[in-house]
Amino acid sequence: MHIRKDDTVEVIAGDDAGTAKSRTTGRVLRVLPGENKVVVEGINRVYKHLKPNRRNAQGGRLSKEMPIDASNVLLYCGTCRRGVRIGRRYAADGHKERYCKKCGTGLGTLSKPREAYARK
Ligand SMILES: [Zn+2]
């Protein structure tokens, strides 16, 4: 999966997708690798309406985010200011990182530095 928890992503497809002029971004709250889905803050929210009862005199509504398909989101690149496709590479000190395929900016560490992959 190309997305991890706490990543900022752009939603590019589905009901909550943005447009080129107004991009929709959010933080990843949960990743469901088995289903290839992610839960993004504020995206695909569903509401449950509650009638007033003895414990809850006001009633009201609860909201929560439902998972969306991971292919509907792209990792957000702060340099490009949009969701981008990513690659993986070894950085100079030998740690593995994700990077933006558009501009080359590093987008987060994936592993500890390993001597064998360091550039001397
Ligand atoms: Zn970029």
Side-chain angles (χ1 to χ4, degrees):
M1 181 102 70
H2 64 301
I3 298 297
R4 293 189 157 197
K5 187 169 181 269
D6 290 328
D7 281 345
T8 298
V9 294
E10 180 184 349
V11 182
I12 54 158
D15 292 344
D16 289 325
T19 62
K21 281 199 175 117
S22 134
R23 298 185 184 278
T24 304
T25 58
R27 190 168 59 91
V28 175
L29 302 176
R30 239 162 9 109
V31 177
L32 309 164
E35 300 168 66
N36 213 42
K37 286 183 179 217
V38 293
V39 178
V40 182
E41 196 166 41
I43 303 299
N44 201 22
R45 211 169 237 166
V46 293
Y47 295 94
K48 184 178 182 183
H49 296 266
L50 301 174
K51 282 189 175 166
N53 60 26
R54 240 162 289 146
R55 266 206 308 165
N56 173 9
Q58 277 292 306
R61 56 181 205 172
L62 291 173
S63 81
K64 69 168 184 174
E65 288 94 346
M66 295 300 282
I68 59 174
D69 203 273
S71 65
N72 288 356
V73 303
L74 289 176
L75 189 63
Y76 187 81
C77 172
T79 308
C80 299
R81 299 183 62 192
R82 52 172 293 183
V84 293
R85 289 163 74 179
I86 59 156
R88 292 168 174 80
R89 68 184 174 196
Y90 289 101
D93 70 350
H95 80 260
K96 203 177 195 179
E97 67 174 10
R98 298 181 299 187
Y99 68 96
C100 169
K101 281 199 168 172
K102 216 170 183 66
C103 70
T105 303
L107 295 173
T109 303
L110 293 174
S111 76
K112 289 191 179 114
R114 281 177 65 190
E115 192 65 41
Y117 295 106
R119 261 170 260 140
K120 277 136 205 154

